[in-house]
């Protein structure tokens, strides 16, 4: 996957102008979180996303609302959106960027010796996602995801203790019911942009 993605360049071209962008992982996650906010309308979300993602926002304010939406679409397609993956079986949410932030931090430190706090503003979203996908099985995040995906065996008179242990682990590591972590905030952004186009 990494070879297919362009990590070079920190700018996009739109309508003959070049816009410098900030697509560090922490900025993209902030945009995702903002898109989960119910109190903001679509236009406000687009303006706020551009303010976070474009390094010279004064250029952006000269654009019409439609041009802002188109520019954000270009940034999303060229610098943030990841290639689609085939869906195998019934999709199950195993990770949430916000709820699992401590596990993600610990796993990057464990696997790569990387302090994600020090990487704010530097580590690009796509590189972050590649490293996240490549985490070894023995990291905390992968362990938690494995527990969430684990099937609870059918009850027999011999496996009550095993079932109880699995159920307790699944309850302890369960994701919050509400919210839209993971890719959901970015999916809402793409839906909004498609609706405006």
């Amino acid at each position: 996957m990494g070879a297919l993605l362009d990590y070079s360049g920190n700018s996009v071209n739109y309508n003959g102008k070049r816009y410098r962008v900030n697509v560090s992982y922490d900025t993209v996650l902030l945009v995702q979180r903002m898109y989960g906010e119910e109190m903001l309308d679509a236009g406000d979300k687009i303006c706020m996303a551009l303010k976070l993602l474009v390094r010279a926002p004064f250029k952006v304010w000269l654009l019409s609302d439609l041009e802002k939406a188109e520019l954000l679409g270009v940034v999303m397609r060229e610098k943030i959106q990841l290639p689609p993956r085939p869906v195998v079986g019934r999709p199950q949410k195993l990770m949430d960027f916000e709820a699992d932030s401590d596990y993600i931090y610990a796993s990057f430190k464990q696997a790569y010796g990387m302090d994600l706090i020090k990487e704010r503003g530097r580590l690009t979203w796509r590189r972050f996602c590649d490293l996240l996908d490549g985490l070894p099985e023995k990291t905390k995040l992968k362990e938690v995801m494995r527990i969430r995906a684990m099937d609870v065996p059918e009850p027999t008179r011999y496996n009550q203790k095993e079932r109880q242990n699995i159920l307790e682990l699944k309850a302890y590591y369960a994701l919050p019911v509400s919210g839209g972590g993971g890719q959901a905030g970015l999916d809402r952004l793409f839906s909004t942009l498609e609706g405006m186009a």
Side-chain angles (χ1 to χ4, degrees):
M1 177 166 101
L4 301 175
L5 298 178
D6 176 24
Y7 295 121
S8 63
N10 58 354
S11 64
V12 296
N13 290 314
Y14 172 70
N15 276 352
K17 291 184 181 166
R18 193 169 141 204
Y19 294 85
R20 291 187 62 230
V21 294
N22 171 17
V23 287
S24 62
Y25 83 94
D26 51 304
T27 302
V28 174
L29 288 174
L30 190 58
V31 169
Q32 174 201 316
R33 191 175 313 127
M34 181 206 43
Y35 260 81
E37 286 294 321
E38 304 278 329
M39 297 183 342
L40 298 171
D41 68 17
D44 289 339
K45 289 177 182 179
I46 289 170
C47 287
M48 289 179 71
L50 286 171
K51 187 174 183 178
L52 292 167
L53 294 168
V54 177
R55 292 195 186 265
F58 61 88
K59 284 182 168 181
V60 173
W61 305 132
L62 303 174
L63 301 175
S64 70
D65 289 344
L66 180 59
E67 289 172 325
K68 288 175 186 174
E70 288 174 350
L71 173 59
L72 185 55
V74 169
V75 173
M76 296 298 288
R77 279 189 304 278
E78 292 185 14
K79 299 297 180 181
I80 297 173
Q81 189 175 24
L82 300 172
R85 294 183 175 184
V87 178
V88 179
R90 191 182 88 219
Q92 181 182 4
K93 184 175 175 182
L94 299 177
M95 190 197 74
D96 180 284
F97 285 112
E98 205 162 326
D100 292 329
S101 61
D102 291 343
Y103 302 138
I104 293 168
Y105 177 86
S107 297
F108 271 65
K109 192 78 167 163
Q110 179 185 352
Y112 308 119
M114 182 182 290
D115 184 339
L116 283 176
I117 292 171
K118 292 180 180 175
E119 293 297 323
R120 287 180 179 161
R122 298 185 330 177
L123 180 64
T124 66
W125 171 251
R126 288 179 173 174
R127 177 106 1 140
F128 170 79
C129 289
D130 281 348
L131 292 171
L132 187 66
D133 285 345
L135 283 172
E137 287 300 315
K138 295 194 184 258
T139 55
K140 184 63 179 178
L141 180 65
K142 290 290 188 168
E143 175 192 341
V144 169
M145 291 171 68
R146 192 170 46 256
I147 290 167
R148 289 175 181 156
M150 195 180 293
D151 290 326
V152 180
E154 291 294 322
T156 68
R157 62 181 178 165
Y158 304 108
N159 70 354
Q160 290 174 341
K161 196 169 188 176
E162 176 192 4
R163 279 177 46 83
Q164 182 65 29
N165 185 36
I166 291 171
L167 289 169
E168 286 175 5
L169 284 169
K170 287 176 88 61
Y172 182 80
Y173 290 115
L175 288 169
V177 175
S178 63
Q183 190 68 16
L186 295 176
D187 290 342
R188 280 192 293 276
L189 171 59
F190 282 117
S191 296
T192 302
L193 293 173
E194 286 171 3
M196 295 182 77

